[in-house]
Amino acid sequence: MLEESKNVVLQGAWTEKSDGGCHLYDKAFEQKPDKFTWVTNPKFHLKLDSPQGPCRVKITLSRPPKVWKKQVGMNMVGCMIGFYVYPQTAGEPSREAMLNSEGQKFVPWNETSEELILDGHPEGYIIMACTYEPGK
């Protein structure tokens, strides 16, 4: 078993103001400023306490199947879920800063996981949970 300090579960939710969709709804891909919704997604701060240097982390994003069943049935692609991991910085997140951009995937299931090796960035990391399309 993992120590409690090494196994954390956080709850969150997408709301009308925080359901920004994937990175395709950012300045690099959208023409209209009102469509730059990607940065509004829920974000979770991850700070590592690893004096040994890089460490392996497993991140899992899940949602309750019953709550999402109807929405997924109406728009499976738009309701796909995924997440981005990037170093905490003073500015807005960018696609170039993503640590999991090569293997980043969106899935139509109710759970997705990924293992990453993180080097202990001094400010920590941000995990941004997303649906594929905004408003889902």
Side-chain angles (χ1 to χ4, degrees):
M1 282 182 59
L2 288 175
E3 295 175 32
E4 183 104 5
S5 66
K6 295 182 180 182
N7 187 25
V8 178
V9 176
L10 299 173
Q11 281 188 281
W14 287 285
T15 66
E16 277 187 40
K17 294 182 180 186
S18 70
D19 57 358
C22 68
H23 70 279
L24 298 176
Y25 297 91
D26 197 22
K27 298 170 191 156
F29 300 97
E30 278 293 338
Q31 302 299 315
K32 300 177 184 174
D34 64 325
K35 299 283 186 177
F36 301 162
T37 57
W38 175 60
V39 295
T40 66
N41 281 299
K43 297 169 192 74
F44 301 89
H45 186 248
L46 172 65
K47 181 91 170 163
L48 301 173
D49 185 19
S50 177
Q52 294 91 354
C55 65
R56 180 183 306 269
V57 299
K58 180 177 182 181
I59 300 168
T60 301
L61 173 65
S62 64
R63 63 183 175 198
K66 286 184 179 179
V67 175
W68 282 83
K69 185 176 182 174
K70 184 177 179 182
Q71 281 186 277
V72 170
M74 292 171 46
N75 185 348
M76 183 181 287
V77 172
C79 289
M80 291 190 303
I81 60 171
F83 58 87
Y84 300 94
V85 180
Y86 56 92
Q88 169 75 47
T89 59
E92 289 185 359
S94 69
R95 179 78 172 139
E96 296 77 32
M98 296 301 144
L99 300 176
N100 64 332
S101 61
E102 292 299 317
Q104 210 298 314
K105 61 185 179 285
F106 280 81
V107 298
W109 311 299
N110 291 310
E111 183 173 292
T112 184
S113 292
E114 186 171 352
E115 286 190 24
L116 298 166
I117 304 291
L118 300 178
D119 63 6
H121 189 273
E123 300 299 317
Y125 299 89
I126 298 295
I127 302 167
M128 180 192 293
C130 303
T131 54
Y132 191 73
E133 292 179 2
K136 301 299 173 210

